[in-house]
Amino acid sequence: AQKITQTQPGMFVQEKEAVTLDCTYDTSDPSYGLFWYKQPSSGEMIFLIYQGSYDQQNATEGRYSLNFQKARKSANLVISASQLGDSAMYFCAMSDNTGTASKLTFGTGTRLQVTL
Amino acid sequence: DAGVIQSPRHEVTEMGQEVTLRCKPISGHDYLFWYRQTMMRGLELLIYFNNNVPIDDSGMPEDRFSAKMPNASFSTLKIQPSEPRDSAVYFCASVSGTSGGIRQFFGPGTRLTVL
Protein backbone atom coordinates (compact mmCIF):
# COMPACT_ATOMS: atom_id res chain seq x y z
CA ALA A 1 0.00 0.00 0.00
CA GLN A 2 1.09 3.51 -0.68
CA LYS A 3 1.52 6.09 2.04
CA ILE A 4 2.27 9.81 2.01
CA THR A 5 3.55 11.60 5.11
CA GLN A 6 3.56 15.34 5.64
CA THR A 7 5.03 16.03 9.07
CA GLN A 8 4.55 19.80 9.14
CA PRO A 9 0.99 20.71 10.11
CA GLY A 10 1.78 24.41 9.75
CA MET A 11 4.53 26.63 8.43
CA PHE A 12 5.20 30.35 8.45
CA VAL A 13 7.31 32.20 5.91
CA GLN A 14 7.99 35.84 5.28
CA GLU A 15 6.99 37.37 2.00
CA LYS A 16 9.69 37.08 -0.68
CA GLU A 17 11.47 34.30 1.19
CA ALA A 18 11.72 30.69 -0.01
CA VAL A 19 10.03 27.87 1.86
CA THR A 20 10.26 24.08 1.72
CA LEU A 21 7.29 21.86 2.48
CA ASP A 22 8.24 18.30 3.36
CA CYS A 23 6.76 15.14 1.92
CA THR A 24 7.92 11.56 2.29
CA TYR A 25 6.32 8.57 0.66
CA ASP A 26 6.32 4.82 0.92
CA THR A 27 5.66 2.40 -1.89
CA SER A 28 6.99 -0.86 -3.19
CA ASP A 29 6.10 0.00 -6.79
CA PRO A 30 8.97 1.10 -9.04
CA SER A 31 6.58 3.21 -11.08
CA TYR A 32 4.72 6.05 -9.39
CA GLY A 33 3.97 9.73 -9.66
CA LEU A 34 4.23 12.48 -7.10
CA PHE A 35 2.01 15.55 -7.07
CA TRP A 36 1.52 18.72 -5.13
CA TYR A 37 -1.84 20.47 -4.89
CA LYS A 38 -2.72 23.79 -3.29
CA GLN A 39 -6.02 24.35 -1.51
CA PRO A 40 -6.74 27.99 -0.67
CA SER A 41 -9.39 28.96 1.85
CA SER A 42 -11.95 29.01 -0.95
CA GLY A 43 -11.63 25.23 -1.08
CA GLU A 44 -10.69 24.38 -4.65
CA MET A 45 -7.82 22.01 -5.40
CA ILE A 46 -5.18 23.56 -7.64
CA PHE A 47 -2.53 21.42 -9.31
CA LEU A 48 0.99 22.76 -8.83
CA ILE A 49 3.59 20.26 -9.99
CA TYR A 50 4.23 16.64 -10.94
CA GLN A 51 7.26 14.33 -10.81
CA GLY A 52 7.40 10.85 -12.27
CA SER A 53 9.49 8.20 -10.54
CA TYR A 54 11.68 7.75 -13.62
CA ASP A 55 12.23 11.44 -14.23
CA GLN A 56 15.89 12.28 -13.88
CA GLN A 57 15.50 16.00 -13.41
CA ASN A 58 13.59 17.71 -10.65
CA ALA A 59 10.32 19.18 -11.87
CA THR A 60 9.89 22.94 -11.94
CA GLU A 61 6.84 25.10 -12.64
CA GLY A 62 7.47 28.80 -12.28
CA ARG A 63 8.14 29.52 -8.60
CA TYR A 64 7.50 25.90 -7.66
CA SER A 65 10.08 23.16 -7.75
CA LEU A 66 9.99 19.62 -6.51
CA ASN A 67 13.08 18.37 -4.73
CA PHE A 68 12.91 14.66 -5.59
CA GLN A 69 15.25 12.42 -3.61
CA LYS A 70 14.39 8.90 -4.63
CA ALA A 71 16.71 7.08 -2.23
CA ARG A 72 15.24 9.00 0.68
CA LYS A 73 11.71 8.67 -0.71
CA SER A 74 11.13 12.35 -0.36
CA ALA A 75 9.41 14.83 -2.65
CA ASN A 76 9.63 18.21 -1.02
CA LEU A 77 7.98 21.27 -2.54
CA VAL A 78 10.06 24.43 -2.72
CA ILE A 79 8.28 27.74 -3.21
CA SER A 80 10.61 30.58 -4.09
CA ALA A 81 9.86 34.25 -3.47
CA SER A 82 6.74 33.61 -1.40
CA GLN A 83 3.73 35.82 -1.96
CA LEU A 84 0.77 36.55 0.29
CA GLY A 85 -1.40 34.62 -2.14
CA ASP A 86 0.60 31.48 -1.40
CA SER A 87 -1.10 31.20 2.00
CA ALA A 88 -3.06 27.96 1.73
CA MET A 89 -3.09 24.25 2.52
CA TYR A 90 -0.64 22.21 0.47
CA PHE A 91 -1.16 18.53 -0.19
CA CYS A 92 1.39 16.03 -1.41
CA ALA A 93 -0.06 13.04 -3.27
CA MET A 94 1.10 10.01 -5.16
CA SER A 95 -0.25 7.77 -7.88
CA ASP A 96 0.55 4.12 -8.35
CA ASN A 97 1.99 4.52 -11.82
CA THR A 98 3.61 7.11 -13.99
CA GLY A 99 2.58 8.38 -17.36
CA THR A 100 -1.08 7.45 -17.11
CA ALA A 101 -4.10 8.43 -15.11
CA SER A 102 -4.48 6.80 -11.73
CA LYS A 103 -6.00 7.33 -8.33
CA LEU A 104 -4.21 9.61 -5.87
CA THR A 105 -3.26 8.96 -2.26
CA PHE A 106 -2.98 12.21 -0.32
CA GLY A 107 -0.99 13.31 2.69
CA THR A 108 -2.57 15.21 5.57
CA GLY A 109 -1.43 18.56 4.28
CA THR A 110 0.64 21.52 5.48
CA ARG A 111 -0.93 24.89 6.15
CA LEU A 112 1.37 27.65 4.91
CA GLN A 113 1.00 31.19 6.16
CA VAL A 114 2.91 33.94 4.38
CA THR A 115 3.54 37.01 6.52
CA LEU A 116 4.60 40.55 5.70
CA ASP B 1 -13.42 25.20 -21.08
CA ALA B 2 -15.85 25.18 -18.17
CA GLY B 3 -13.78 22.83 -16.05
CA VAL B 4 -15.27 20.11 -13.88
CA ILE B 5 -18.75 21.05 -12.76
CA GLN B 6 -20.30 19.84 -9.53
CA SER B 7 -23.76 20.38 -8.15
CA PRO B 8 -25.02 21.31 -5.74
CA ARG B 9 -22.21 23.35 -4.21
CA HIS B 10 -23.78 23.09 -0.78
CA GLU B 11 -26.25 20.58 0.55
CA VAL B 12 -27.82 20.46 3.97
CA THR B 13 -30.01 17.50 4.75
CA GLU B 14 -31.36 15.56 7.66
CA MET B 15 -30.19 12.18 8.79
CA GLY B 16 -31.93 9.41 6.91
CA GLN B 17 -32.54 11.39 3.74
CA GLU B 18 -31.21 10.44 0.35
CA VAL B 19 -28.52 12.71 -1.09
CA THR B 20 -27.37 12.82 -4.71
CA LEU B 21 -24.22 14.64 -5.75
CA ARG B 22 -23.59 15.33 -9.40
CA CYS B 23 -20.50 15.77 -11.52
CA LYS B 24 -19.85 16.75 -15.12
CA PRO B 25 -16.24 16.03 -16.12
CA ILE B 26 -14.26 18.04 -18.64
CA SER B 27 -15.31 17.09 -22.14
CA GLY B 28 -13.06 14.41 -23.57
CA HIS B 29 -11.75 13.21 -20.24
CA ASP B 30 -12.12 9.47 -19.83
CA TYR B 31 -11.26 9.12 -16.15
CA LEU B 32 -13.48 10.36 -13.34
CA PHE B 33 -12.65 10.24 -9.65
CA TRP B 34 -14.74 10.88 -6.54
CA TYR B 35 -12.87 12.00 -3.41
CA ARG B 36 -14.08 12.92 0.05
CA GLN B 37 -12.39 15.42 2.38
CA THR B 38 -12.97 15.42 6.13
CA MET B 39 -10.99 16.82 9.03
CA MET B 40 -10.57 13.36 10.53
CA ARG B 41 -9.61 11.37 7.43
CA GLY B 42 -8.28 14.01 5.07
CA LEU B 43 -8.68 13.49 1.33
CA GLU B 44 -9.54 9.96 0.33
CA LEU B 45 -10.58 8.29 -2.88
CA LEU B 46 -14.05 6.81 -2.93
CA ILE B 47 -14.31 5.42 -6.44
CA TYR B 48 -13.06 6.03 -9.94
CA PHE B 49 -14.27 5.28 -13.45
CA ASN B 50 -12.55 4.77 -16.77
CA ASN B 51 -14.72 5.07 -19.88
CA ASN B 52 -17.80 5.06 -17.62
CA VAL B 53 -16.83 1.72 -16.03
CA PRO B 54 -16.05 1.59 -12.29
CA ILE B 55 -12.45 0.50 -11.86
CA ASP B 56 -11.84 0.76 -8.12
CA ASP B 57 -14.57 1.25 -5.54
CA SER B 58 -12.56 0.03 -2.56
CA GLY B 59 -12.86 3.43 -0.92
CA MET B 60 -16.65 3.46 -0.86
CA PRO B 61 -17.45 3.39 2.86
CA GLU B 62 -20.41 1.04 2.86
CA ASP B 63 -23.53 -0.01 1.05
CA ARG B 64 -25.16 3.31 1.74
CA PHE B 65 -22.90 4.82 -0.89
CA SER B 66 -23.31 4.19 -4.60
CA ALA B 67 -21.89 5.84 -7.70
CA LYS B 68 -22.86 5.68 -11.33
CA MET B 69 -21.58 7.04 -14.59
CA PRO B 70 -24.32 6.52 -17.19
CA ASN B 71 -22.40 8.39 -19.88
CA ALA B 72 -19.13 10.18 -20.49
CA SER B 73 -20.44 13.53 -19.36
CA PHE B 74 -22.23 12.74 -16.12
CA SER B 75 -21.69 10.93 -12.84
CA THR B 76 -23.61 10.74 -9.59
CA LEU B 77 -22.69 9.82 -6.05
CA LYS B 78 -25.66 8.80 -3.95
CA ILE B 79 -25.90 8.35 -0.21
CA GLN B 80 -28.97 6.58 1.10
CA PRO B 81 -29.68 6.89 3.96
CA SER B 82 -27.38 9.73 4.94
CA GLU B 83 -25.79 9.96 8.39
CA PRO B 84 -24.10 12.87 10.21
CA ARG B 85 -20.69 11.21 9.74
CA ASP B 86 -21.13 11.61 5.97
CA SER B 87 -20.71 15.36 6.40
CA ALA B 88 -17.72 16.29 4.25
CA VAL B 89 -16.64 18.02 1.08
CA TYR B 90 -17.01 15.72 -1.90
CA PHE B 91 -14.76 16.40 -4.88
CA CYS B 92 -15.03 15.11 -8.39
CA ALA B 93 -11.95 15.12 -10.62
CA SER B 94 -11.31 14.15 -14.21
CA VAL B 95 -8.33 13.50 -16.45
CA SER B 96 -7.73 12.47 -20.02
CA GLY B 97 -5.87 9.18 -19.91
CA THR B 98 -6.02 8.64 -23.66
CA SER B 99 -3.99 11.77 -24.32
CA GLY B 100 -1.44 10.82 -21.71
CA GLY B 101 -2.80 13.15 -19.08
CA ILE B 102 -1.88 12.58 -15.48
CA ARG B 103 -2.96 15.82 -13.89
CA GLN B 104 -6.38 15.54 -12.30
CA PHE B 105 -8.62 18.55 -12.67
CA PHE B 106 -10.79 18.98 -9.61
CA GLY B 107 -14.25 20.41 -9.43
CA PRO B 108 -15.13 23.03 -6.81
CA GLY B 109 -16.55 20.38 -4.47
CA THR B 110 -19.91 19.84 -2.81
CA ARG B 111 -20.05 20.65 0.89
CA LEU B 112 -22.49 18.20 2.46
CA THR B 113 -23.89 18.70 5.93
CA VAL B 114 -26.06 15.98 7.43
CA LEU B 115 -27.93 17.09 10.54
Side-chain angles (χ1 to χ4, degrees), chain B residues 7-84:
Chain B
S7 65
R9 294 292 309 276
H10 301 272
E11 176 82 31
V12 180
T13 191
E14 292 191 344
M15 183 174 63
Q17 297 297 307
E18 177 180 297
V19 175
T20 299
L21 312 181
R22 296 172 176 81
C23 174
K24 177 179 169 55
I26 292 173
S27 177
H29 283 191
D30 54 337
Y31 281 82
L32 185 141
F33 302 81
W34 282 100
Y35 294 93
R36 179 172 68 174
Q37 185 176 30
T38 62
M39 290 295 293
M40 291 296 294
R41 300 176 65 90
L43 271 155
E44 53 184 349
L45 177 80
L46 298 177
I47 186 171
Y48 79 94
F49 296 83
N50 178 219
N51 290 322
N52 314 336
V53 176
I55 303 300
D56 184 345
D57 65 354
S58 59
M60 295 287 265
E62 50 200 89
D63 292 345
R64 297 185 298 107
F65 284 68
S66 63
K68 293 181 180 179
M69 192 163 186
N71 56 61
S73 59
F74 184 65
S75 177
T76 60
L77 178 68
K78 186 177 292 186
I79 308 172
Q80 165 63 18
S82 58
E83 296 182 3

Side-chain angles (χ1 to χ4, degrees), chain A residues 52-105:
Chain A
S53 59
Y54 299 118
D55 294 342
Q56 297 295 315
Q57 304 250 1
N58 285 344
T60 59
E61 291 281 354
R63 295 186 299 110
Y64 304 107
S65 60
L66 198 152
N67 185 359
F68 181 43
Q69 298 191 39
K70 201 168 184 176
R72 291 186 173 185
K73 293 189 175 179
S74 74
N76 298 339
L77 177 70
V78 180
I79 305 174
S80 62
S82 297
Q83 302 171 357
L84 294 177
D86 294 334
S87 295
M89 280 289 286
Y90 288 80
F91 291 95
C92 181
M94 73 183 301
S95 62
D96 59 5
N97 55 45
T98 181
T100 187
S102 182
K103 63 183 179 183
L104 297 179
T105 300

Side-chain angles (χ1 to χ4, degrees), chain A residues 37 39 43 50 101-104, chain B residues 35 37 56 91 95 102 104:
Chain A
Y37 278 83
Q39 186 176 43
Y50 166 80
S102 182
K103 63 183 179 183
L104 297 179
Chain B
Y35 294 93
Q37 185 176 30
D56 184 345
F91 287 102
V95 62
I102 47 164
Q104 294 187 17

